[in-house]
Amino acid sequence: MRGSGDSSMDLRQFRYFIEVADRLSFTKAAKRLHVSQPTLSQQIRALEQTLGTDLLARSASGLALTQAGVAFLDRARAAIREAIGAVEDARAASAGFLGRLSVACGPLAEYCILHDVLQLARTKSPKLSIRLRFLPENEQILGVLAGTADVGFMGCFSQTPDPNLKYEPLYPEHGIVMLPATHRLAARRAVKLSDLAEDPWIVPTRDQSPVVHDVFLAECQKSGFAPKINIAADWYSRFPLVASGAGVCVGASTLLKFWRPKIKFILIEPRVTVDMGMITKREDQSPQLDEFRGLVKEALALRASEMGA
């Protein structure tokens, strides 16, 4: 280990280290970064000098990350992401944008009212910069609490006991099942969950989506059976898995408006209500969030008007 040196380091050194760590090759990293190999090596040495520890183990057989290098890598990536976000915020402010809002969307909410909200934002709030990410419900909750997401859109949620979260119900959707087009019940207009008691189900694990998982199991219990969850998949792989005939899956009635090759969307009878909702941090009073809430309210009014037409 070397001395700590001075405390100066820059993001360029972070980027250089990330590139070397990803490729474990100074030659490949230098080519990717469009710098000379001696310059790259010198910058990594300078970073290690500042930190007071080796990040890379150098040997005749090649490079390897040290324990310190492994620990530093994730933090370096996060620092780069935060720096990029800061630059984007500054540029948005300079261009007159109201602010940036990070919106997380869950799988059941993917095709819901959020489409209308984003469309309204383009015309009604062009100075509001919205960044959209798709995350399962548990990661949305953690993200809102940690401040890495400002808003979470999800289905099958209820009032949270966490005092730091605010839950705002939006509207109900009806539950549906997704069946392979070759399924024996694919021609029906509606099915009972009990009709599918012997089918394998494609459902996320409780760790991935605790609310959806628990609601699904509760509805199956009401229908008198315990589902065969042979494939516990993340939600975003459900379409190809169902299409391949690997199993059946639940979803929201908004999907009835869409067409997917080799998949049939069918209503569940008796009807199962899927509540769509929005979560935010209770203390968040930012103007961009107020602006976003106004867009959501307008989108809900438009939806109600269309439903009544």
Side-chain angles (χ1 to χ4, degrees):
M1 182 183 295
R2 294 183 291 275
S4 60
D6 61 45
S7 60
S8 62
M9 64 181 79
D10 58 43
L11 289 176
R12 179 183 56 175
Q13 292 174 336
F14 282 39
R15 289 193 179 95
Y16 285 0
F17 169 69
I18 291 169
E19 203 69 40
V20 173
D22 285 345
R23 285 160 177 74
L24 292 178
S25 167
F26 278 107
T27 303
K28 292 178 181 178
K31 185 176 181 180
R32 173 82 174 178
L33 292 164
H34 303 290
V35 299
S36 69
Q37 188 170 330
T39 297
L40 179 59
S41 180
Q42 182 182 19
Q43 289 296 320
I44 298 299
R45 287 288 190 188
L47 177 60
E48 291 175 320
Q49 182 71 31
T50 300
L51 295 172
T53 187
D54 288 330
L55 300 175
L56 296 165
R58 300 158 175 86
S59 67
S61 59
L63 295 177
L65 287 172
T66 64
Q67 261 191 315
V70 172
F72 185 73
L73 182 58
D74 285 342
R75 295 287 188 172
R77 292 191 200 278
I80 294 295
R81 287 196 298 268
E82 288 300 312
I84 292 172
V87 171
E88 289 177 351
D89 283 349
R91 288 175 176 167
S94 176
F97 284 99
L98 175 66
R100 187 180 68 187
L101 201 73
S102 178
V103 177
C105 179
L108 288 184
E110 183 174 348
Y111 297 105
C112 76
I113 196 174
L114 186 56
H115 282 186
D116 298 328
V117 175
L118 295 176
Q119 187 173 14
L120 284 169
R122 292 176 58 195
T123 57
K124 299 287 184 75
S125 300
K127 293 185 177 181
L128 179 63
S129 176
I130 298 175
R131 175 178 293 173
L132 183 62
R133 291 187 299 159
F134 292 98
L135 295 173
E137 285 82 356
N138 60 328
E139 291 186 32
Q140 286 190 55
I141 293 169
L142 293 174
V144 171
L145 287 172
T148 56
D150 302 298
V151 180
F153 269 87
M154 59 180 67
C156 292
F157 201 62
S158 59
Q159 185 62 49
T160 171
D162 193 309
N164 296 309
L165 284 180
K166 181 178 182 180
Y167 171 69
E168 300 171 66
L170 300 177
Y171 67 95
E173 287 257 0
H174 297 304
I176 66 163
V177 290
M178 297 162 49
L179 306 180
T182 55
H183 194 277
R184 66 187 185 282
L185 304 179
R188 289 197 186 179
R189 296 180 61 87
V191 297
K192 298 177 182 178
L193 280 177
S194 58
D195 292 335
L196 302 165
E198 299 303 317
D199 286 82
W201 285 87
I202 300 168
V203 181
T205 64
R206 196 172 191 282
D207 287 341
Q208 294 170 333
S209 186
V211 182
V212 172
H213 189 271
D214 288 354
V215 169
F216 169 70
L217 290 181
E219 289 297 329
C220 291
Q221 187 175 21
K222 288 180 189 177
S223 298
F225 73 99
K228 298 177 180 178
I229 304 177
N230 293 339
I231 302 173
D234 70 89
W235 276 105
Y236 302 107
S237 63
R238 68 196 189 278
F239 291 119
L241 284 171
V242 171
S244 73
V248 298
C249 183
V250 289
S253 53
T254 300
L255 288 171
L256 293 172
K257 297 182 291 186
F258 294 85
W259 179 82
R260 285 267 182 168
K262 300 181 181 180
I263 296 177
K264 294 291 184 178
F265 303 111
I266 302 174
L267 277 169
I268 298 172
E269 292 289 356
R271 291 197 172 185
V272 175
T273 298
V274 180
D275 292 323
M276 311 306 295
M278 182 172 78
I279 60 168
T280 56
K281 205 165 186 178
R282 191 170 295 279
E283 64 188 31
D284 192 344
Q285 302 295 328
S286 65
Q288 57 263 37
L289 183 56
D290 288 342
E291 182 83 4
F292 188 79
R293 279 199 176 98
L295 295 170
V296 171
K297 185 176 181 180
E298 187 171 348
L300 287 171
L302 288 172
R303 184 179 188 277
S305 176
E306 291 172 359
M307 295 288 286

